[in-house]
Amino acid sequence: MDTTLRDGEQTSGVSFLPSEKLQIAKLLLEELRVDRIEVASARVSEGELEGVKKITHWAAEKGYLDCVEVLGFVDTPASVDWLTEAGAKVLNLLTKGSLNHLTHQLKKTPVEHFAAIEKCIHYANEKGISVNVYLEDWSSGMRHSRDYTLELIAFLADQNVKRVMLPDTLGLLKPAEVAEYVGLVSEQFPEVHFDFHAHNDYDLSVANVMEAINHGISGIHTTVNGLGERAGNAPLESVVATLSDFTTVKLNVQENKIYRISKLVEQFSGLHIPSNKPVVGENVFTQTAGIHADGDNKKNLYFNDLLPERFGRTRKYALGKTSGKANILKNLLELGIKLEPEELSKVTQKIIELGDRKERVTTEDLPYIISDVLQNNSIKKDISIEGYHMTHSKGLKPTVQLKLKFKDQFYEAHASGNGQFDSFMLALQKIYKSLNKKLPKLTDFSVSIPPGGKTDAFVETVITWDYGRIIKTKGLDSDQTVAAMMATEKMLNIIEQIDSGNRA
Ligand SMILES: CC(C)C(=O)C(=O)O
């Protein structure tokens, strides 16, 4: 069960719009094919109600309604009525899985709590809603109030409950404890379907999920990109890879759709995926050391089972001070460029020098570096920014007047946008529209300055564009808009070469 839209949204600072929730829900169920999704907590807000209504309306049409779950509380009739209004058919009822939480938060006795749970289950069933039950703080319960926790499970086993869900609410379990506790309840209650809900506070969520699987759990909870309260939940992408490669469990999840949904969740959540995050991070399929690229050429010596193609990604070879000739050759191959051995040595030397100066080098920088190092004017610069005038004043919208040279012709346009770079892009779009040409989609924009806090430092802007293939271009200037414009100018020349290659 994926809970990106409920626990994932409990990441500090994350809030999905109803339309975003619907888009993610569709991708999760239809393309990625997870079995169930938890989409909200009951009674949170009007926006949440609207989001759940959108999802249940769509799910009813597609026959997915039983896969859409909503977290609710022991507050009969409020949560059940909220689900009824939202059109939801599955309630994930939050009960207290430890005596500590029950006594100090709800201030109830077990007898009172069980009676209230029973009332809620009956009311939900009357309304045609099926019930799963969460045992909040179950892990502490197993550690410190085991009799109570087991008594609650025994009570639920006699109720009309579909699944009992065991959260490690505070992410405090280590794998050996998961094995012990999950093993114990699975053995004691073989007729009950148990789910395990991990949290990642000690970075052990995936290991804990594996242990739960190995000790009899029937369902697991994940979130895309590992979003979730505090350090998050078990990341869907890592869990899928791990279970596929290290257990005999068969999942319905389509691995090759993982990257797409990960990027969508990144965009909607506003939380950048760390570049070293397994499976979905920018760099996790990038070989940096030259010795690795060399080994890849010789019987794939540095490959493991985690092949990028499985997840809709490709292997990359980084350019930098440790990259060496093998990496450069791999990138040249991608660009269709051939160099003589002594030319390759000079280019390699230059890239190492740039790396030493902490400069990032992208594949798309290579033609420029070659042209510069070999002084052979090999780079075709069909398009250049010939002039610009930018304004940025208080109380007025920024503007840009742009002069562009496109294959010996000059074009001018003026635009006003949300910032200087936006104004520049709008002016550029006007020119490209008049030429009947399309610009790529900007998918990522990163700005960095060298550490040290100096305001006269060069700003490095790296822009990622989607033009059927991903293009990354870099600009370097003391002004950040100019750095972005330089990166854009490089992109314009690259797409022109792609287009003329396609025409040829
Ligand atoms: C709200 C509950 C179910 C939860 O996410 C947890 O206990 O981790």
Side-chain angles (χ1 to χ4, degrees), residues 284-462:
V284 295
F285 297 114
T286 302
Q287 304 279 42
T288 304
I291 186 174
H292 288 190
D294 178 61
D296 286 353
N297 287 335
K298 298 173 181 155
K299 266 187 136 249
N300 292 338
L301 290 179
Y302 290 87
F303 279 19
N304 59 19
D305 288 339
L306 227 43
L307 294 174
E309 292 73 22
R310 278 174 57 182
F311 307 100
R313 309 197 55 191
T314 48
R315 193 168 298 287
K316 296 261 173 222
Y317 294 89
L319 298 167
K321 68 177 173 185
T322 59
S323 49
K325 285 183 191 156
N327 282 41
I328 295 166
L329 275 172
K330 292 266 188 198
N331 281 276
L332 291 174
L333 197 69
E334 196 183 320
L335 295 169
I337 299 174
K338 271 200 178 134
L339 292 181
E340 295 303 325
E342 67 277 16
E343 292 177 329
L344 181 61
S345 295
K346 281 188 194 166
V347 171
T348 308
Q349 203 42 48
K350 179 69 184 178
I351 288 171
I352 292 171
E353 267 170 49
L354 291 170
D356 258 342
R357 294 212 302 263
K358 282 169 101 67
E359 278 194 32
R360 255 186 296 177
V361 181
T362 69
T363 308
E364 285 75 18
D365 286 329
L366 261 181
Y368 292 86
I369 293 171
I370 293 168
S371 171
D372 183 34
V373 171
L374 306 181
Q375 301 202 326
N376 61 2
N377 291 327
S378 58
I379 181 85
K380 261 180 95 186
K381 214 169 158 206
D382 285 325
I383 301 149
S384 54
I385 296 168
E386 292 291 310
Y388 53 79
H389 175 71
M390 296 191 269
T391 65
H392 194 282
S393 359
K394 189 169 176 188
L396 293 172
K397 280 192 102 180
T399 63
V400 166
Q401 175 76 25
L402 174 67
K403 183 173 180 186
L404 193 82
K405 186 168 151 202
F406 189 98
K407 298 191 174 167
D408 302 329
Q409 300 284 333
F410 291 91
Y411 299 86
E412 279 197 40
H414 180 270
S416 167
N418 279 334
Q420 285 183 325
F421 184 60
D422 185 41
S423 309
F424 162 77
M425 286 305 289
L426 291 173
L428 183 63
Q429 250 157 31
K430 283 187 184 169
I431 296 176
Y432 264 56
K433 210 168 167 200
S434 73
L435 292 168
N436 227 349
K437 292 183 92 45
K438 272 180 102 172
L439 287 171
K441 194 168 161 226
L442 188 158
T443 60
D444 199 20
F445 186 104
S446 78
V447 179
S448 54
I449 52 163
K454 288 172 70 193
T455 50
D456 64 349
F458 266 61
V459 177
E460 185 188 83
T461 302
V462 177

Side-chain angles (χ1 to χ4, degrees), residues 6-7 10 71 94 134 136-137 167-169 197 199 233:
R6 196 280 296 170
D7 211 335
Q10 284 174 223
L71 181 137
L94 187 71
Y134 270 119
E136 193 186 14
D137 203 31
D168 180 13
T169 300
H197 176 102
H199 275 278
N233 294 92

Side-chain angles (χ1 to χ4, degrees), residues 79-99:
S79 288
V80 172
D81 287 349
W82 196 92
L83 262 81
T84 307
E85 191 186 345
K89 291 283 172 209
V90 185
L91 166 68
N92 290 345
L93 184 63
L94 187 71
T95 71
K96 292 297 187 188
S98 73
L99 199 53

